[in-house]
């Protein structure tokens, strides 16, 4: 069977993580700027300075055999204030970026929201306020109007689960809250806003397709017992279904709502919203795959949520236990983990892709996949054989799934070049291209993986060393 001829081979970025230039071109603060500055954390003020390097960066992608770039638009660069006034300078910046993509034969794959909510909206309650959903709808309409001629692939949201979970429950992303009730409200509002965005896109008859990007964690169980199967269903609702079922089928998983309704207020879910969610489902699914969610039955104790993304020195202690639901298996001696506790498990992608395909029958893009490590970037070329092997095995998993009939249409390495890894700072590196953040010029240096990926993209995957599990 094999990959289709027009398979998209590219890499991914996000506005706050790469652009820098936070005070340039009329951009206003995002919730991340305020939260990081107020908390005294490392910021993305400069990041990879894509704002000033995009021509060079896009050319480098094309030279590296890539035919697509996943990027996001920064809401605070496009909409100036609560009244919704447009910042034309921001619009011009993105039009230039998109035209540069066109010039180099790079298909843009564009996320409307990758976590950088304007601070003026956060001050009105952010994702806890239903009004933010309507502000998103207006912002999305502006994006479709201003950039619709240059874009074929749109994404409403990047990873609703990850940013609401960290922002409202774990508390290590802005706004830094610790409340399950708030997470439920924020998460629901994001999914409703996504449906409003899809409606605006469909009603405006813009060209192309619109989807959502999910932090995909296919669920595995420790054994075949009934208790584990129940834990797996809880874990699947928690990790995947409330996003994928809602976005793809227009249905919030009912068993999840039944369980939540016993302890939480679900009045944010209004009857008049439901037909919008039902009728405006996505055209495709973007899956970011880093690892599986491997679970065992809940054995007791309080809910514990420790996520290893809180600063550069914090490592090796991740823990997810949800009271009454499930426990995530960590530190298994037979598994391989990165320094940040992420299990390397490409087989999970193969299995997960088949499950998603069977369940939703929508085209799939792997919108992020990569490995974060510390690297010495002062050398001429980073010899990142570990990244090559990681990507090889995951692409092999995708090709196996395609051979089994799954409709996967593209692969995006995370990330195009080294960038700001949120609370981890810049030293957790994912890039195919290295950036020395201590060098004023922020010189780009392709790593070994950049050249390897070029040969893979140019051979449309033929050069992958196939694995089967
Ligand atoms: C995803 C995000 C990206 C990116 C990546 C790596 O969740 O969409 O923005 O950051 O994960 O995660 P991290 O930078 O925390 O290691």
């Amino acid at each position: 069977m094999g990959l289709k001829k027009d398979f998209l081979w590219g890499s991914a970025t996000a506005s706050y993580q790469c652009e820098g230039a936070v005070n340039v071109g009329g951009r206003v603060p995002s919730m991340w700027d305020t939260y990081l500055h107020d908390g005294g954390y490392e910021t993305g003020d400069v990041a990879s300075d894509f704002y000033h390097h995009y021509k060079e960066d896009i050319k480098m992608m094309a030279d590296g055999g890539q035919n697509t770039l996943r990027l996001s638009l920064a809401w605070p660069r496009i909409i100036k204030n609560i009244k919704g006034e447009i910042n034309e300078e921001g619009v011009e910046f993105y039009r230039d970026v998109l035209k540069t993509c066109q010039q180099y034969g790079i298909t843009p794959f564009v996320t409307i929201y990758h976590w950088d909510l304007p601070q003026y909206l956060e001050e009105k309650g952010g994702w806890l306020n239903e009004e933010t959903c309507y502000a998103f709808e207006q912002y999305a309409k502006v994006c479709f109007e201003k950039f619709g001629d240059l874009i074929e692939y749109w994404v409403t949201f990047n990873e609703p689960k990850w940013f609401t979970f960290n922002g409202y429950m774990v508390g290590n992303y802005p706004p830094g809250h610790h409340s399950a009730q708030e997470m439920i409200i924020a998460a629901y509002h994001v999914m409703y806003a996504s449906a409003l965005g899809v409606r605006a896109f469909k009603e405006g008859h813009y060209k192309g397709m619109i989807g959502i990007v999910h932090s995909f964690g296919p669920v595995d169980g420790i054994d075949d017992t009934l208790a584990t199967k129940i834990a797996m269903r809880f874990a699947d609702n928690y990790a995947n279904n409330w996003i994928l079922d809602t976005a793809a089928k227009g249905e919030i998983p009912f068993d999840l709502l039944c369980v939540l309704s016993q302890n939480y207020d679900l009045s944010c879910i209004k009857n008049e919203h439901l037909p919008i969610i039902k009728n405006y489902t996505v055209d495709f699914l973007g899956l970011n795959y880093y690892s599986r969610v491997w679970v065992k039955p809940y054995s007791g104790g309080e809910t514990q949520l420790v996520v290893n993304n809180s600063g550069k020195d914090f490592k090796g202690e991740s823990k997810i236990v949800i009271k009454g639901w499930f426990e995530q298996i960590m530190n298994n001696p037979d598994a391989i983990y990165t320094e940040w506790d992420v299990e390397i498990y490409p087989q999970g992608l193969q299995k997960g892709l088949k499950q998603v395909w069977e369940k939703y029958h929508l085209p799939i893009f792997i919108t992020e996949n990569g490995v974060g490590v510390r690297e010495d970037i002062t050398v001429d070329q980073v010899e990142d054989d570990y990244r090559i092997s990681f990507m090889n095995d995951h692409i092999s998993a995708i090709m196996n799934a395609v051979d089994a009939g799954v409709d996967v249409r593209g692969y995006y390495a995370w990330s195009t070049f080294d960038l700001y890894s949120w609370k981890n700072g810049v030293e957790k590196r994912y890039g195919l291209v290295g950036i020395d953040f201590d060098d004023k010029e922020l010189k780009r240096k392709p790593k070994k993986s950049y050249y390897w990926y070029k040969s893979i993209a140019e051979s449309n995957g033929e050069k992958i060393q196939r694995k089967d599990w």
Side-chain angles (χ1 to χ4, degrees):
M1 208 170 190
L3 302 177
K4 290 197 186 121
K5 276 207 187 83
D6 56 356
F7 192 81
L8 292 174
W9 291 100
S11 53
T13 63
S15 47
Y16 186 72
Q17 295 182 270
C18 75
E19 285 177 7
V22 289
N23 299 316
V24 179
R27 180 187 181 277
V28 297
S30 74
M31 73 194 297
W32 274 91
D33 297 272
T34 309
Y35 167 85
L36 294 171
H37 277 275
D38 289 357
Y41 302 111
E42 187 177 335
T43 71
D45 284 0
V46 179
S48 325
D49 199 22
F50 178 75
Y51 190 87
H52 296 108
H53 289 254
Y54 65 91
K55 291 205 159 97
E56 169 195 347
D57 289 335
I58 293 167
K59 175 176 186 307
M60 197 166 49
M61 293 185 76
D63 291 346
Q66 299 177 46
N67 57 21
T68 181
L69 164 65
R70 177 169 175 241
L71 75 158
S72 76
L73 305 170
W75 191 343
R77 240 185 235 298
I78 295 175
I79 307 292
K80 289 197 263 203
N81 51 34
I82 202 94
K83 287 187 275 180
E85 284 170 353
I86 298 171
N87 173 30
E88 293 298 343
E89 216 180 326
V91 170
E92 267 324 291
F93 165 68
Y94 287 118
R95 287 199 60 84
D96 270 358
V97 170
L98 296 166
K99 282 184 193 157
T100 308
C101 286
Q102 205 172 46
Q103 181 191 340
Y104 287 105
I106 299 279
T107 299
F109 193 99
V110 178
T111 307
I112 301 171
Y113 184 85
H114 199 126
W115 309 353
D116 39 4
L117 186 75
Q119 178 62 21
Y120 57 76
L121 285 170
E122 179 52 30
E123 280 161 18
K124 301 272 179 205
W127 289 111
L128 299 176
N129 183 349
E130 188 182 334
E131 288 305 312
T132 300
C133 306
Y134 305 112
F136 174 82
E137 184 184 20
Q138 290 311 313
Y139 159 55
K141 280 184 185 166
V142 170
C143 295
F144 301 143
E145 280 299 308
K146 297 285 184 185
F147 312 119
D149 57 326
L150 296 167
I151 297 172
E152 298 276 344
Y153 298 97
W154 291 93
V155 166
T156 54
F157 283 85
N158 179 69
E159 297 193 347
K161 183 209 151 187
W162 196 239
F163 79 87
T164 55
F165 171 70
N166 281 293
Y168 293 92
M169 216 160 143
V170 179
N172 59 358
Y173 282 5
H177 297 182
H178 303 274
S179 158
Q181 175 70 64
E182 285 191 1
M183 179 184 165
I184 292 166
I185 297 170
Y188 171 71
H189 281 154
V190 169
M191 295 312 296
Y192 174 50
S194 178
L196 291 172
V198 173
R199 182 175 71 173
F201 182 76
K202 300 285 175 195
E203 288 185 346
H205 302 289
Y206 300 96
K207 68 168 178 169
M209 301 167 91
I210 191 159
I212 195 163
V213 165
H214 170 51
S215 42
F216 182 43
V219 175
D220 260 345
I222 195 166
D223 56 30
D224 280 336
T225 60
L226 182 61
T228 297
K229 287 195 164 64
I230 293 170
M232 285 171 71
R233 175 67 192 182
F234 276 120
D236 208 15
N237 277 343
Y238 150 86
N240 304 304
N241 299 338
W242 66 267
I243 293 157
L244 296 180
D245 283 14
T246 310
K249 300 204 289 195
E251 289 163 11
I252 310 169
F254 200 64
D255 58 339
L256 175 66
L257 291 179
C258 291
V259 171
L260 292 178
S261 68
Q262 295 181 339
N263 295 309
Y264 300 102
D265 177 1
L266 301 184
S267 59
C268 58
I269 307 178
K270 297 190 179 154
N271 285 328
E272 63 265 30
H273 298 167
L274 296 178
I276 298 171
I277 291 176
K278 183 71 202 167
N279 292 328
Y280 294 98
T281 53
V282 294
D283 300 325
F284 66 84
L285 294 170
L287 302 178
N288 293 349
Y289 181 78
Y290 291 91
S291 198
R292 65 172 160 172
V293 176
W294 193 15
V295 302
K296 57 184 179 188
Y298 166 76
S299 61
E302 290 306 309
T303 292
Q304 290 180 64
L305 305 169
V306 184
V307 179
N308 192 351
N309 57 8
S310 296
K312 39 187 166 186
D313 301 322
F314 182 90
K315 58 185 186 122
E317 292 179 35
S318 299
K319 191 160 199 178
I320 307 269
V321 174
I322 301 198
K323 192 176 178 179
W325 289 21
F326 70 93
E327 296 180 14
Q328 191 165 338
I329 301 167
M330 296 299 304
N331 302 319
N332 184 289
D334 299 329
I336 306 164
Y337 297 91
T338 71
E339 245 189 284
W340 279 267
D341 303 341
V342 178
E343 186 192 356
I344 299 182
Y345 195 69
Q347 344 24 348
L349 179 56
Q350 183 173 326
K351 198 168 146 194
L353 276 170
K354 285 191 210 155
Q355 289 167 347
V356 169
W357 174 247
E358 276 158 22
K359 215 165 156 190
Y360 306 107
H361 267 272
L362 285 176
I364 299 169
F365 296 84
I366 299 302
T367 34
E368 285 180 30
N369 174 240
V371 62
V373 288
R374 294 172 211 278
E375 288 169 320
D376 175 9
I377 209 77
T378 57
V379 296
D380 286 340
Q381 184 183 290
V382 175
E383 303 285 318
D384 52 348
D385 292 301
Y386 39 86
R387 183 168 288 110
I388 292 172
S389 130
F390 180 98
M391 288 172 67
N392 181 83
D393 294 356
H394 285 80
I395 295 171
S396 186
I398 294 167
M399 293 174 79
N400 293 346
V402 169
D403 287 345
V406 183
D407 183 6
V408 186
R409 301 192 181 178
Y411 174 85
Y412 292 82
W414 181 268
S415 49
T416 309
F417 38 70
D418 288 338
L419 36 68
Y420 173 74
S421 168
W422 307 110
K423 292 285 282 294
N424 304 299
V426 291
E427 293 304 332
K428 184 178 184 186
R429 296 171 182 274
Y430 283 90
L432 298 171
V433 172
I435 298 184
D436 182 350
F437 294 103
D438 293 330
D439 163 38
K440 261 178 72 192
E441 308 286 307
L442 294 172
K443 193 166 169 314
R444 275 61 172 150
K445 292 185 195 172
K447 301 178 191 174
K448 189 174 173 186
S449 55
Y450 165 90
Y451 297 104
W452 172 84
Y453 191 45
K454 176 176 162 80
S455 74
I456 299 302
E458 287 175 351
S459 70
N460 201 30
E462 287 297 314
K463 295 223 167 123
I464 285 291
Q465 287 180 17
R466 297 294 288 272
K467 298 247 172 102
D468 216 342
W469 293 281

